[in-house]
Amino acid sequence: MQYKFAIDEDKLKEFYYEPYEFNGHRLYRRVLILKKSGLLGEIASYKLIDFIVPDLGANELLPFIKPISDVMIQRFLLLGRGKMIKKSFWFGLRGWAYIGFLEGEEKLFNDMRREFKEALKMEEHQ
């Protein structure tokens, strides 16, 4: 008996992920706006984009990761096991990209891992 994973898109929507098409692949994306406040009000704000990438490997994905205007951090969560990959754009002045794995250990992806695991469903195939 073999098992295949399916993704509960309604569960991902509860975590603000939306389906997103990229080069014929289905990804899930959410945009977060983070704000830093002080005594005098807002000091800074920046965007963070999270992508759940169920059917691409890191080597296939890396050439397509580019800086996005007004986005400071891009996080990509892939299936499998591996060590986090960091990519900076213009020495970090135009943002950063991080690629993590579902079975990885970096704390930067713990929230995404938990959400993705809640959305995974196993289907039985013979």
Side-chain angles (χ1 to χ4, degrees):
M1 199 158 302
Q2 295 180 346
Y3 292 95
K4 183 178 179 179
F5 292 101
I7 298 171
D8 183 352
E9 289 187 355
D10 291 329
K11 186 56 125 174
L12 283 179
K13 285 181 181 179
E14 289 178 20
F15 300 117
Y16 307 104
Y17 289 95
E18 293 295 329
Y20 182 74
E21 287 294 321
F22 175 74
N23 281 357
H25 297 279
R26 189 163 183 92
L27 300 122
Y28 300 91
R29 176 181 81 165
R30 73 174 168 190
V31 178
L32 302 170
I33 299 173
L34 304 174
K35 296 183 179 187
K36 177 72 175 168
S37 297
L39 293 174
L40 300 175
E42 184 179 315
I43 296 170
S45 68
Y46 63 94
K47 289 182 187 173
L48 165 72
I49 299 182
D50 290 337
F51 293 93
I52 292 178
V53 186
D55 64 347
L56 279 174
N59 292 335
E60 298 168 303
L61 181 64
L62 267 170
F64 297 106
I65 298 175
K66 307 283 185 223
I68 300 172
S69 180
D70 297 328
V71 175
M72 195 57 163
I73 297 174
Q74 301 174 54
R75 297 189 301 172
F76 298 85
L77 183 65
L78 282 60
L79 287 176
R81 181 180 305 267
K83 189 172 176 157
M84 181 173 67
I85 299 168
K86 299 176 193 176
K87 185 174 182 177
S88 68
F89 308 109
W90 289 72
F91 303 103
L93 296 173
R94 295 195 61 204
W96 295 85
Y98 299 94
I99 299 174
F101 297 88
L102 188 60
E103 297 178 34
E105 298 178 10
E106 298 86 8
K107 292 182 181 182
L108 178 66
F109 291 95
N110 282 351
D111 60 323
M112 292 177 71
R113 285 186 189 108
R114 181 185 48 79
E115 295 159 354
F116 191 30
K117 285 177 181 177
E118 284 186 37
L120 283 177
K121 300 183 292 186
M122 278 204 305
E123 295 177 346
E124 217 173 281
H125 289 277
Q126 295 196 17

